[in-house]
Amino acid sequence: MVQKLKQASSKKKASAALALTVATSMVLAACGGGSSNTESGTNASTDSGSSKATTLKVEVFDRGNSPKGSTITNNYLTNFVQDNFGTPNNINMEFVPVPRSEETNKLNVLMASGSDVPDIVFTYDSGTFYRYAQQGGLTDLTELLDQYGPNLKQFLTDETLAYGQLEGKQYGLPAKRSHLGKYSSFIRQDWLDKLGLPVPQTTDELYTTLKAFKEQDPGQTGGKVIPLGMSIAPAQYEPLIWSFIKPMTEEESYTLTQQLSSRDYPILLPGFKDAMSFMNKLYNEGLMSPDFSLDKDKTKLSENVTKGLVGFFSEDDMNPYYPDGMYATLQKNNANAVLSAVDVYTNEEGKHPKPEYSPIGMYIMIPKASKHAAEAIKYLDWMASGDNLFQMQNGVEGENYTLVNDVPVVNADAADEIKNRLYNQGDMAIISNGKQLGDADKNVEAYVVGMPEKYQEDTRKALTISRTDTIKPILFDKPIEAQAKYGTSLLDKFNEIIVKLTMVKPDQFDSTYDQMIKEYLANGGQAILDERTAAYKAMKQ
């Protein structure tokens, strides 16, 4: 695959002059203003008889990390785009910086400006995307994509494109995520070895192991042992909770699932009470982090792991193996510590269910006010063509990377000038979230070879676990308004439920569960349930 892409690079030709059909010129219904084109006219700046160059404005995140000699609007990749797409097509590429920390607010200002908004903008927030689409602020890309984006369509696939549709029309182009795995679990293998215990294979075996860790303290923590590391972050509790969820019909999955923010939550699904009962048991038996409810950002969990106090925990799949990460720090503190990736939590079918990411990254959009929607699609299609994306993500072979089994391995000894070429590749190669090598296994391997060599095999195992027995997110063909309305407050309520049901005394668990679910439904959960039920019925008609 990569070799074919590399061959395509040497055969690039300048594309023909762009003959464009102009989109109508509505701006955001909520904002007003803007500019207009004729319904069927041709954009004069790109007409085959015109020599005037078109200016295509593209949003770019500014993270304030440009190396010396570069700016966010003038660097190796902006020049690569101009030289290989812009100039051959008589287009001046203009990159419009948006501070990453102010993404949504700045985008709202740009969209409200009408004529000043870039031709290509993006957001990670699905609610923002749907709001713009519903208010008439985005270009309908359905026909433009068919006409100018064949390579882009093939690259993104129907599964990814579905996330950018509203009632059958294509208003957004979601970036394609290269790796869908989310979570793995980790255990102190040296503790198991010391106690002569096998690696637990099921939830029941894990419980037995956790009890042994507490009672025998193989890490010699002086009574500070934490058999199960937990926080109030999803990476810790989701693998446990979802393993208790029972098999359901499609209708039950669509209607009972609650989507808060960008995640599916199982609070109303059959088995959720069982999951919370198990967490309650672990906590009340002293097998779980006692202060997990205060640890929203995993800081305390990480500290406890690196101090050698934690025997088992779940985490974002390869997170422990980063340079100077949890495992490296743990081994600095204890050279004999061994942290192994494991897949332990089991459901009643003997599987290891865990959520996976949606197949998308950011939502790429073309505002309705743009006069250059066709050029914008052609730019994104160019990025998806040949080896253009590969070059933007990896640089120059022999300088930035060396191919090993068709996977680019970064040349660690390259000069800083060469390394700095790609400092912003993730923000420039916007059609992809993560490196794309044409194959899911190779995409994962790209992550593996980017890790410290001594942790690469562990990373590979953790990434394999994160892709095993996964649960796909649920997608409706229209936004659920109640989720946007109540999502933030209900997410706070969900976290409150997790904490209270885990920490309450066992004899108060049932009554507390009933009361908390009642409150959840009354504060918007029922409205989401009702709307999802109606949306499912409409979708099936």
Side-chain angles (χ1 to χ4, degrees):
M1 172 69 180
V2 174
Q3 295 296 341
K4 290 181 179 179
L5 291 175
K6 288 175 62 60
Q7 291 170 5
S9 155
S10 63
K11 299 179 180 179
K12 287 182 180 178
K13 296 181 179 179
S15 61
L18 303 175
L20 308 176
T21 302
V22 178
T24 58
S25 63
M26 282 182 61
V27 298
L28 276 170
C31 303
S35 55
S36 61
N37 296 322
T38 59
E39 287 291 330
S40 58
T42 301
N43 190 318
S45 64
T46 55
D47 184 62
S48 58
S50 173
S51 60
K52 182 179 179 181
T54 298
T55 295
L56 184 66
K57 296 182 179 181
V58 181
E59 178 185 352
V60 63
F61 281 147
D62 186 356
R63 301 177 188 271
N65 63 338
S66 296
K68 184 178 181 180
S70 297
T71 68
I72 198 63
T73 58
N74 183 12
N75 53 69
Y76 174 84
L77 286 177
T78 59
N79 292 330
F80 178 85
V81 169
Q82 181 62 53
D83 293 343
N84 291 276
F85 171 76
T87 300
N89 291 289
N90 199 27
I91 294 175
N92 291 326
M93 300 298 298
E94 180 179 331
F95 292 93
V96 181
V98 170
R100 178 66 179 93
S101 60
E102 303 173 23
E103 170 208 343
T104 302
N105 291 338
K106 181 64 174 177
L107 179 58
N108 288 336
V109 171
L110 289 171
M111 292 293 285
S113 72
S115 59
D116 289 335
V117 66
D119 301 293
I120 295 177
V121 296
F122 40 75
T123 181
Y124 281 104
D125 183 65
S126 60
T128 298
F129 160 67
Y130 281 123
R131 184 172 70 254
Y132 290 151
Q134 288 177 305
Q135 292 178 346
L138 301 179
T139 300
D140 177 359
L141 305 175
T142 310
E143 293 184 6
L144 287 169
L145 193 58
D146 288 337
Q147 187 172 1
Y148 298 115
N151 298 295
L152 184 61
K153 286 184 65 175
Q154 183 178 15
F155 170 76
L156 293 179
T157 74
D158 291 341
E159 180 186 19
T160 302
L161 286 168
Y163 282 80
Q165 294 171 2
L166 178 65
E167 297 180 344
K169 294 184 178 181
Q170 195 77 47
Y171 288 104
L173 301 171
K176 182 178 180 180
R177 188 182 291 272
S178 65
H179 168 57
L180 304 186
K182 264 191 175 182
Y183 305 129
S184 181
S185 295
F186 304 88
I187 199 164
R188 283 291 297 271
Q189 181 65 51
D190 55 312
W191 288 14
L192 293 175
D193 294 343
K194 187 172 183 178
L195 298 180
L197 295 175
V199 175
Q201 302 296 317
T202 67
T203 304
D204 288 341
E205 290 179 9
L206 174 64
Y207 173 70
T208 300
T209 301
L210 296 177
K211 289 185 67 176
F213 285 170
K214 178 177 175 59
E215 294 166 0
Q216 302 181 53
D217 195 9
Q220 298 180 322
T221 67
K224 297 180 181 180
V225 62
I226 302 172
L228 171 62
M230 182 61 66
S231 81
I232 197 61
Q236 278 68 67
Y237 62 71
E238 281 202 340
L240 186 158
I241 292 176
W242 280 97
S243 71
F244 281 85
I245 302 304
K246 301 181 184 300
M248 292 171 288
T249 64
E250 180 190 78
E251 181 176 0
E252 288 174 322
S253 296
Y254 269 84
T255 58
L256 296 178
T257 300
Q258 299 262 301
Q259 187 183 84
L260 312 177
S261 184
S262 60
R263 300 175 187 270
D264 286 344
Y265 285 82
I267 187 169
L268 302 182
L269 299 183
F272 176 74
K273 184 177 181 180
D274 297 329
M276 296 315 305
S277 179
F278 182 65
M279 287 183 66
N280 179 270
K281 178 180 180 179
L282 295 175
Y283 184 83
N284 280 284
E285 292 184 9
L287 301 177
M288 182 190 295
S289 301
D291 51 1
F292 83 99
S293 63
L294 303 176
D295 192 14
K296 294 184 179 181
D297 59 2
K298 304 186 284 190
T299 299
K300 189 63 176 178
L301 172 69
S302 179
E303 178 184 328
N304 288 333
V305 169
T306 58
K307 285 182 176 180
L309 304 180
V310 176
F312 172 89
F313 65 101
S314 299
E315 180 58 299
D316 295 314
D317 50 18
M318 61 182 182
N319 199 42
Y321 301 123
Y322 281 106
D324 300 320
M326 278 192 283
Y327 195 13
T329 306
L330 171 63
Q331 290 193 318
K332 285 181 182 178
N333 295 330
N334 179 358
N336 296 319
V338 180
L339 193 65
S340 297
V342 290
D343 207 4
V344 177
Y345 292 121
T346 47
N347 65 6
E348 61 184 44
E349 297 178 320
K351 295 181 178 180
H352 304 284
K354 58 193 78 69
E356 72 176 27
Y357 283 110
S358 64
I360 69 168
M362 63 174 59
Y363 294 84
I364 304 169
M365 304 167 289
I366 300 176
K368 195 65 174 287
S370 171
K371 298 179 181 180
H372 305 300
E375 290 97 329
I377 293 295
K378 285 197 170 188
Y379 169 55
L380 299 173
D381 189 76
W382 166 84
M383 196 180 297
S385 305
D387 69 344
N388 295 318
L389 178 63
F390 184 88
Q391 289 195 62
M392 291 181 72
Q393 292 187 323
N394 299 285
V396 180
E397 184 176 6
E399 297 180 13
N400 292 98
Y401 69 91
T402 300
L403 278 180
V404 179
N405 297 322
D406 287 343
V407 175
V409 178
V410 173
N411 292 340
D413 58 352
D416 287 343
E417 180 182 356
I418 292 176
K419 291 179 181 178
N420 290 341
R421 288 171 175 168
L422 305 178
Y423 80 97
N424 61 337
Q425 64 89 9
D427 295 327
M428 288 291 293
I430 56 176
I431 62 173
S432 176
N433 184 300
K435 291 189 177 182
Q436 299 284 354
L437 303 179
D439 176 89
D441 291 334
K442 289 180 180 178
N443 292 347
V444 167
E445 193 63 19
Y447 285 104
V448 171
V449 299
M451 287 296 195
E453 187 174 355
K454 67 177 181 177
Y455 297 142
Q456 287 184 4
E457 189 56 43
D458 292 316
T459 301
R460 187 177 290 110
K461 184 177 181 181
L463 292 173
T464 298
I465 288 171
S466 73
R467 296 190 293 157
T468 302
D469 295 341
T470 55
I471 303 166
K472 292 184 177 296
I474 294 172
L475 176 66
F476 280 100
D477 60 356
K478 56 182 287 187
I480 305 299
E481 300 294 342
Q483 291 175 171
K485 182 176 181 180
Y486 299 109
T488 300
S489 61
L490 283 179
L491 185 53
D492 291 337
K493 176 62 71 173
F494 177 81
N495 288 334
E496 181 186 352
I497 290 172
I498 295 291
V499 170
K500 287 190 174 182
L501 291 181
T502 299
M503 299 178 67
V504 71
K505 295 301 181 183
D507 62 353
Q508 299 174 19
F509 177 82
D510 286 337
S511 59
T512 304
Y513 174 84
D514 292 341
Q515 179 62 33
M516 296 299 291
I517 295 300
K518 181 179 179 180
E519 291 178 6
Y520 180 90
L521 291 171
N523 284 278
Q526 185 65 52
I528 293 176
L529 173 60
D530 292 343
E531 188 175 347
R532 288 177 72 101
T533 300
Y536 179 79
K537 292 179 179 178
M539 190 171 67
K540 288 299 180 179
Q541 288 179 352

